[in-house]
Amino acid sequence: MTGEDIKAMMVAIADAMDENRDALCALDGEIGDADHGIAMASGFGAVRRAVTSMAGGSPAEVLNAAARAFLSEVGASSGPLYATAFMRAAAAVKGKDFLTDEDVPVIVAAMAEGIKHRGKASPGDKTMLDAWLPAAEAAARAHGSSAAVVLAEAAKAAEEGAEATADMEAKLGRASRLGSRSVGHKDPGATSAAILLRAMTSAASAS
């Protein structure tokens, strides 16, 4: 994958967030302040503009541009989390003009680790980490497969992780104020993480 392929992934993510904006807001409205879909659509809209305006760029340069654009657009908690995720991914592939299939699990793992480090969450806290950690583990198990297969396995694990958050009690963020009343509702951040990884899969399959 070249920098242009990474740009295509970012555009695919932005399109997916636009399509799912209202559903994510409705989900967030059950346990939060109903703006998660807006934040994700707005943030990745900024990413789309940033990467499509770039002339060339290595994969790491595109990922760093995505990080800067998302952070500048989104002031909510997801802003620093995804900025850190993309910066960690960029650092993991720094200096490479193109990425091989073997780099894909590394990118997913780097993003998950960045989110974990920045968010200070633990598995079971009912956050996006409950989608990202299973995704990274699935990507690692699929190492040696094509980029599309690795991402498909990661997306499937993220979707399952997001579904599992419905049975969890929120420990962090606004939802934690609800205590046991947060049980029965999927975490919107985990849900959008699964959407993101599924969009990456579609882009990789099309390249």
Side-chain angles (χ1 to χ4, degrees):
M1 292 186 292
T2 65
E4 295 304 311
D5 293 319
I6 302 300
K7 291 179 186 179
M9 280 189 175
M10 296 299 135
V11 171
I13 294 168
D15 290 346
M17 293 305 167
D18 283 344
E19 293 168 8
N20 289 276
R21 180 186 58 198
D22 292 345
L24 287 170
C25 284
L27 192 62
D28 192 27
E30 296 174 1
I31 56 174
D33 50 12
D35 68 347
H36 184 66
I38 295 171
M40 295 300 286
S42 177
F44 280 103
V47 169
R48 182 202 286 119
R49 294 190 296 273
V51 301
T52 56
S53 67
M54 292 177 68
S58 68
E61 288 169 339
V62 175
L63 288 164
N64 275 322
R68 291 192 297 270
F70 199 95
L71 185 60
S72 67
E73 184 72 18
V74 181
S77 59
S78 56
L81 290 172
Y82 274 111
T84 302
F86 287 132
M87 286 189 287
R88 288 290 186 92
V93 297
K94 184 178 180 181
K96 296 188 175 187
D97 292 328
F98 63 91
L99 307 181
T100 66
D101 292 338
E102 286 71 26
D103 290 312
V104 178
V106 175
I107 287 176
V108 177
M111 292 184 71
E113 184 58 34
I115 288 168
K116 181 180 179 182
H117 175 78
R118 186 70 188 222
K120 310 299 183 186
S122 299
D125 283 348
K126 198 182 183 89
T127 71
M128 67 171 69
L129 193 65
D130 291 306
W132 274 105
L133 285 183
E137 291 165 0
R141 290 193 298 269
H143 184 273
S145 301
S146 68
V149 168
V150 171
L151 288 169
E153 290 299 310
K156 179 182 177 182
E159 288 160 355
E160 292 171 351
E163 289 292 335
T165 62
D167 297 326
M168 300 173 186
E169 181 176 328
K171 303 297 184 183
L172 297 173
R174 185 181 294 271
S176 65
R177 302 175 188 176
L178 297 176
S180 61
R181 288 180 293 159
S182 64
V183 177
H185 304 278
K186 283 173 58 178
D187 180 68
T191 303
S192 63
I195 291 168
L196 183 154
L197 283 159
R198 185 58 65 187
M200 290 176 68
T201 303
S202 297
S205 299
S207 64

